[in-house]
Amino acid sequence: MTLLSIVAGVSALVSLLVQVGLVVLVATVVRRHRPDAYGPLLVWSGLSVAFHLVGMVLTPVLMFVAGRGGTQAIVAVQTLTAGVGLVFHVTLAAILAHGLVKLAEPPRPPHVEGAPPYR
């Protein structure tokens, strides 16, 4: 049981660090090179970190509370968390897809007010 706790803790920490790394990557590299695609990807990466943190904290708490109500309560909480998780995962996938489509399109030329510059 101790090995399981260690592996689960390390896995959760590494996963969180990867998620934060993606936020940093989007906020620096993507913003600098593709500011038009930066917005949706930053929203996706930020919400991914938030969803991960909420899941890390809320799931054990809900399981602890449900454990007092017996097997039926545990199954009900697992069903609820799976359903809510499904909605969040589909939403995050749609936001990521939107950002990737923007990234795959050629960059738009900057809009300049007034007459075009002379060359």
Side-chain angles (χ1 to χ4, degrees):
M1 196 65 165
T2 303
L3 181 60
L4 174 62
S5 298
I6 291 170
V7 170
V10 169
S11 174
L13 179 63
V14 168
S15 179
L16 180 61
L17 291 175
V18 168
Q19 294 285 340
V20 170
L22 289 172
V23 171
V24 171
L25 180 73
V26 168
T28 57
V29 177
V30 176
R31 183 176 186 184
R32 183 178 333 118
H33 295 289
R34 290 298 303 273
D36 57 323
Y38 153 77
L41 292 174
L42 187 65
V43 169
W44 164 77
S45 60
L47 287 176
S48 293
V49 169
F51 180 65
H52 184 76
L53 283 173
V54 168
M56 283 176 52
V57 172
L58 198 57
T59 300
V61 170
L62 288 174
M63 284 299 143
F64 176 76
V65 171
R68 296 174 178 231
T71 307
Q72 292 290 359
I74 291 173
V75 170
V77 167
Q78 286 179 333
T79 303
L80 177 67
T81 56
V84 170
L86 174 67
V87 171
F88 276 102
H89 282 294
V90 168
T91 303
L92 287 174
I95 295 169
L96 175 61
H98 176 68
L100 290 175
V101 166
K102 283 189 145 307
L103 199 59
E105 295 172 346
R108 296 182 183 148
H111 178 70
V112 179
E113 294 289 328
Y118 293 101
R119 296 187 191 235

Short mmCIF file of all heavy atoms in Angstrom, two decimals, residues 30-65:
data_model
loop_
_atom_site.label_atom_id
_atom_site.label_comp_id
_atom_site.label_asym_id
_atom_site.label_seq_id
_atom_site.Cartn_x
_atom_site.Cartn_y
_atom_site.Cartn_z
N VAL A 30 4.31 30.36 -27.71
CA VAL A 30 3.17 30.54 -28.61
C VAL A 30 2.76 32.01 -28.66
O VAL A 30 2.47 32.54 -29.73
CB VAL A 30 1.97 29.65 -28.19
CG1 VAL A 30 0.76 29.91 -29.07
CG2 VAL A 30 2.36 28.18 -28.27
N ARG A 31 2.77 32.68 -27.53
CA ARG A 31 2.40 34.09 -27.51
C ARG A 31 3.34 34.93 -28.37
O ARG A 31 2.93 35.83 -29.07
CB ARG A 31 2.39 34.62 -26.08
CG ARG A 31 1.93 36.05 -26.01
CD ARG A 31 1.84 36.52 -24.59
NE ARG A 31 1.27 37.85 -24.55
CZ ARG A 31 1.15 38.56 -23.46
NH1 ARG A 31 1.54 38.06 -22.31
NH2 ARG A 31 0.63 39.76 -23.50
N ARG A 32 4.63 34.61 -28.31
CA ARG A 32 5.61 35.38 -29.07
C ARG A 32 5.48 35.13 -30.57
O ARG A 32 5.53 36.05 -31.37
CB ARG A 32 7.02 35.00 -28.62
CG ARG A 32 8.11 35.81 -29.30
CD ARG A 32 9.53 35.48 -28.82
NE ARG A 32 9.61 34.97 -27.46
CZ ARG A 32 10.09 33.74 -27.17
NH1 ARG A 32 10.51 32.94 -28.11
NH2 ARG A 32 10.15 33.35 -25.92
N HIS A 33 5.29 33.88 -30.97
CA HIS A 33 5.30 33.55 -32.39
C HIS A 33 3.92 33.55 -33.04
O HIS A 33 3.81 33.80 -34.24
CB HIS A 33 5.97 32.19 -32.60
CG HIS A 33 7.42 32.19 -32.24
ND1 HIS A 33 8.37 32.84 -32.98
CD2 HIS A 33 8.07 31.66 -31.18
CE1 HIS A 33 9.55 32.68 -32.41
NE2 HIS A 33 9.39 31.97 -31.30
N ARG A 34 2.89 33.23 -32.29
CA ARG A 34 1.54 33.18 -32.85
C ARG A 34 0.52 33.79 -31.89
O ARG A 34 -0.27 33.08 -31.26
CB ARG A 34 1.15 31.73 -33.16
CG ARG A 34 1.89 31.10 -34.32
CD ARG A 34 1.63 31.82 -35.64
NE ARG A 34 0.23 31.90 -35.97
CZ ARG A 34 -0.42 30.95 -36.64
NH1 ARG A 34 0.20 29.88 -37.06
NH2 ARG A 34 -1.70 31.09 -36.89
N PRO A 35 0.53 35.11 -31.74
CA PRO A 35 -0.39 35.73 -30.79
C PRO A 35 -1.85 35.50 -31.13
O PRO A 35 -2.71 35.57 -30.26
CB PRO A 35 -0.03 37.22 -30.85
CG PRO A 35 0.81 37.40 -32.05
CD PRO A 35 1.39 36.06 -32.40
N ASP A 36 -2.17 35.20 -32.41
CA ASP A 36 -3.55 34.92 -32.78
C ASP A 36 -4.03 33.57 -32.23
O ASP A 36 -5.22 33.39 -31.99
CB ASP A 36 -3.72 34.97 -34.30
CG ASP A 36 -2.80 34.01 -35.02
OD1 ASP A 36 -1.65 33.83 -34.57
OD2 ASP A 36 -3.21 33.43 -36.04
N ALA A 37 -3.13 32.63 -32.01
CA ALA A 37 -3.51 31.32 -31.49
C ALA A 37 -3.26 31.21 -30.00
O ALA A 37 -3.65 30.22 -29.37
CB ALA A 37 -2.71 30.23 -32.22
N TYR A 38 -2.67 32.21 -29.43
CA TYR A 38 -2.29 32.20 -28.02
C TYR A 38 -3.48 32.11 -27.07
O TYR A 38 -3.47 31.35 -26.11
CB TYR A 38 -1.43 33.44 -27.76
CG TYR A 38 -1.43 33.98 -26.37
CD1 TYR A 38 -0.69 33.37 -25.38
CD2 TYR A 38 -2.14 35.13 -26.05
CE1 TYR A 38 -0.67 33.88 -24.10
CE2 TYR A 38 -2.11 35.65 -24.79
CZ TYR A 38 -1.37 35.03 -23.81
OH TYR A 38 -1.35 35.53 -22.55
N GLY A 39 -4.53 32.86 -27.35
CA GLY A 39 -5.68 32.95 -26.44
C GLY A 39 -6.35 31.62 -26.13
O GLY A 39 -6.42 31.21 -24.96
N PRO A 40 -6.84 30.90 -27.15
CA PRO A 40 -7.51 29.63 -26.86
C PRO A 40 -6.58 28.60 -26.21
O PRO A 40 -7.01 27.85 -25.33
CB PRO A 40 -7.98 29.14 -28.22
CG PRO A 40 -7.95 30.31 -29.11
CD PRO A 40 -6.94 31.26 -28.56
N LEU A 41 -5.33 28.60 -26.59
CA LEU A 41 -4.40 27.62 -26.01
C LEU A 41 -4.07 27.96 -24.56
O LEU A 41 -3.90 27.06 -23.73
CB LEU A 41 -3.12 27.53 -26.85
CG LEU A 41 -3.32 26.91 -28.23
CD1 LEU A 41 -2.04 26.98 -29.05
CD2 LEU A 41 -3.79 25.47 -28.12
N LEU A 42 -4.02 29.25 -24.23
CA LEU A 42 -3.78 29.63 -22.84
C LEU A 42 -5.00 29.29 -21.98
O LEU A 42 -4.85 28.80 -20.86
CB LEU A 42 -3.45 31.12 -22.73
CG LEU A 42 -3.03 31.57 -21.34
CD1 LEU A 42 -1.71 30.91 -20.94
CD2 LEU A 42 -2.89 33.08 -21.28
N VAL A 43 -6.19 29.51 -22.51
CA VAL A 43 -7.41 29.12 -21.79
C VAL A 43 -7.41 27.62 -21.55
O VAL A 43 -7.68 27.15 -20.44
CB VAL A 43 -8.68 29.55 -22.56
CG1 VAL A 43 -9.93 28.93 -21.97
CG2 VAL A 43 -8.79 31.07 -22.58
N TRP A 44 -7.09 26.85 -22.59
CA TRP A 44 -7.06 25.39 -22.45
C TRP A 44 -6.05 24.95 -21.39
O TRP A 44 -6.38 24.15 -20.51
CB TRP A 44 -6.71 24.73 -23.80
CG TRP A 44 -6.30 23.32 -23.65
CD1 TRP A 44 -7.11 22.25 -23.43
CD2 TRP A 44 -4.96 22.81 -23.67
NE1 TRP A 44 -6.35 21.11 -23.32
CE2 TRP A 44 -5.04 21.44 -23.46
CE3 TRP A 44 -3.72 23.41 -23.85
CZ2 TRP A 44 -3.91 20.62 -23.42
CZ3 TRP A 44 -2.59 22.61 -23.81
CH2 TRP A 44 -2.70 21.24 -23.59
N SER A 45 -4.83 25.49 -21.47
CA SER A 45 -3.80 25.04 -20.53
C SER A 45 -4.12 25.48 -19.09
O SER A 45 -3.91 24.72 -18.14
CB SER A 45 -2.42 25.52 -20.96
OG SER A 45 -2.36 26.92 -21.03
N GLY A 46 -4.65 26.68 -18.93
CA GLY A 46 -5.02 27.15 -17.60
C GLY A 46 -6.15 26.34 -16.99
O GLY A 46 -6.11 25.96 -15.82
N LEU A 47 -7.19 26.07 -17.80
CA LEU A 47 -8.30 25.26 -17.30
C LEU A 47 -7.87 23.82 -17.02
O LEU A 47 -8.39 23.19 -16.10
CB LEU A 47 -9.46 25.27 -18.30
CG LEU A 47 -10.25 26.57 -18.37
CD1 LEU A 47 -11.33 26.48 -19.47
CD2 LEU A 47 -10.89 26.91 -17.04
N SER A 48 -6.92 23.32 -17.79
CA SER A 48 -6.41 21.97 -17.54
C SER A 48 -5.73 21.89 -16.18
O SER A 48 -5.92 20.93 -15.44
CB SER A 48 -5.43 21.55 -18.64
OG SER A 48 -6.08 21.41 -19.86
N VAL A 49 -4.93 22.91 -15.86
CA VAL A 49 -4.28 22.93 -14.54
C VAL A 49 -5.33 23.02 -13.44
O VAL A 49 -5.28 22.30 -12.44
CB VAL A 49 -3.28 24.11 -14.43
CG1 VAL A 49 -2.80 24.30 -13.00
CG2 VAL A 49 -2.10 23.89 -15.35
N ALA A 50 -6.30 23.91 -13.62
CA ALA A 50 -7.35 24.08 -12.61
C ALA A 50 -8.15 22.79 -12.42
O ALA A 50 -8.41 22.37 -11.28
CB ALA A 50 -8.28 25.22 -13.02
N PHE A 51 -8.52 22.15 -13.52
CA PHE A 51 -9.28 20.89 -13.44
C PHE A 51 -8.46 19.82 -12.74
O PHE A 51 -8.96 19.06 -11.91
CB PHE A 51 -9.69 20.45 -14.85
CG PHE A 51 -10.47 19.18 -14.89
CD1 PHE A 51 -11.73 19.11 -14.33
CD2 PHE A 51 -9.96 18.05 -15.51
CE1 PHE A 51 -12.47 17.94 -14.36
CE2 PHE A 51 -10.69 16.88 -15.55
CZ PHE A 51 -11.94 16.82 -14.98
N HIS A 52 -7.18 19.75 -13.04
CA HIS A 52 -6.30 18.77 -12.42
C HIS A 52 -6.20 19.01 -10.91
O HIS A 52 -6.31 18.06 -10.12
CB HIS A 52 -4.92 18.82 -13.07
CG HIS A 52 -3.98 17.78 -12.57
ND1 HIS A 52 -4.06 16.47 -12.96
CD2 HIS A 52 -2.94 17.86 -11.73
CE1 HIS A 52 -3.11 15.78 -12.36
NE2 HIS A 52 -2.42 16.61 -11.60
N LEU A 53 -6.00 20.27 -10.51
CA LEU A 53 -5.90 20.59 -9.09
C LEU A 53 -7.19 20.30 -8.34
O LEU A 53 -7.17 19.73 -7.25
CB LEU A 53 -5.51 22.06 -8.91
CG LEU A 53 -4.04 22.40 -9.17
CD1 LEU A 53 -3.83 23.90 -9.13
CD2 LEU A 53 -3.15 21.71 -8.17
N VAL A 54 -8.31 20.70 -8.92
CA VAL A 54 -9.60 20.44 -8.28
C VAL A 54 -9.82 18.94 -8.14
O VAL A 54 -10.27 18.46 -7.09
CB VAL A 54 -10.75 21.10 -9.07
CG1 VAL A 54 -12.10 20.61 -8.60
CG2 VAL A 54 -10.67 22.62 -8.94
N GLY A 55 -9.49 18.18 -9.17
CA GLY A 55 -9.64 16.73 -9.10
C GLY A 55 -8.75 16.11 -8.05
O GLY A 55 -9.17 15.18 -7.33
N MET A 56 -7.52 16.62 -7.92
CA MET A 56 -6.59 16.08 -6.92
C MET A 56 -7.09 16.31 -5.50
O MET A 56 -6.86 15.49 -4.62
CB MET A 56 -5.21 16.73 -7.08
CG MET A 56 -4.38 16.20 -8.21
SD MET A 56 -2.81 17.10 -8.42
CE MET A 56 -2.09 17.05 -6.81
N VAL A 57 -7.74 17.43 -5.29
CA VAL A 57 -8.20 17.78 -3.94
C VAL A 57 -9.60 17.22 -3.67
O VAL A 57 -9.85 16.63 -2.62
CB VAL A 57 -8.18 19.31 -3.75
CG1 VAL A 57 -8.83 19.70 -2.44
CG2 VAL A 57 -6.76 19.82 -3.84
N LEU A 58 -10.49 17.41 -4.62
CA LEU A 58 -11.90 17.10 -4.38
C LEU A 58 -12.20 15.60 -4.38
O LEU A 58 -13.01 15.13 -3.58
CB LEU A 58 -12.76 17.81 -5.43
CG LEU A 58 -14.24 17.96 -5.12
CD1 LEU A 58 -14.44 18.69 -3.80
CD2 LEU A 58 -14.95 18.69 -6.24
N THR A 59 -11.56 14.84 -5.25
CA THR A 59 -11.87 13.40 -5.34
C THR A 59 -11.61 12.66 -4.03
O THR A 59 -12.49 11.93 -3.56
CB THR A 59 -11.11 12.76 -6.52
OG1 THR A 59 -11.51 13.41 -7.73
CG2 THR A 59 -11.40 11.28 -6.62
N PRO A 60 -10.44 12.82 -3.41
CA PRO A 60 -10.25 12.11 -2.13
C PRO A 60 -11.22 12.57 -1.04
O PRO A 60 -11.69 11.74 -0.25
CB PRO A 60 -8.81 12.44 -1.73
CG PRO A 60 -8.14 12.87 -2.98
CD PRO A 60 -9.21 13.46 -3.85
N VAL A 61 -11.53 13.86 -1.03
CA VAL A 61 -12.48 14.36 -0.02
C VAL A 61 -13.86 13.74 -0.24
O VAL A 61 -14.50 13.26 0.70
CB VAL A 61 -12.55 15.90 -0.06
CG1 VAL A 61 -13.70 16.42 0.79
CG2 VAL A 61 -11.23 16.50 0.38
N LEU A 62 -14.31 13.73 -1.49
CA LEU A 62 -15.62 13.14 -1.79
C LEU A 62 -15.64 11.64 -1.47
O LEU A 62 -16.64 11.13 -0.96
CB LEU A 62 -15.99 13.37 -3.25
CG LEU A 62 -16.35 14.80 -3.64
CD1 LEU A 62 -16.55 14.92 -5.15
CD2 LEU A 62 -17.60 15.25 -2.90
N MET A 63 -14.55 10.95 -1.78
CA MET A 63 -14.50 9.52 -1.48
C MET A 63 -14.51 9.27 0.02
O MET A 63 -15.13 8.31 0.49
CB MET A 63 -13.25 8.89 -2.11
CG MET A 63 -13.36 8.70 -3.58
SD MET A 63 -14.73 7.60 -3.94
CE MET A 63 -15.34 8.33 -5.40
N PHE A 64 -13.83 10.12 0.78
CA PHE A 64 -13.84 9.97 2.23
C PHE A 64 -15.25 10.14 2.79
O PHE A 64 -15.71 9.36 3.61
CB PHE A 64 -12.88 10.98 2.87
CG PHE A 64 -12.89 10.94 4.37
CD1 PHE A 64 -12.25 9.93 5.05
CD2 PHE A 64 -13.56 11.92 5.10
CE1 PHE A 64 -12.27 9.88 6.44
CE2 PHE A 64 -13.58 11.88 6.48
CZ PHE A 64 -12.93 10.87 7.16
N VAL A 65 -15.92 11.19 2.30
CA VAL A 65 -17.29 11.44 2.78
C VAL A 65 -18.22 10.33 2.32
O VAL A 65 -19.05 9.84 3.10
CB VAL A 65 -17.77 12.82 2.27
CG1 VAL A 65 -19.25 13.02 2.55
CG2 VAL A 65 -16.95 13.93 2.89
#
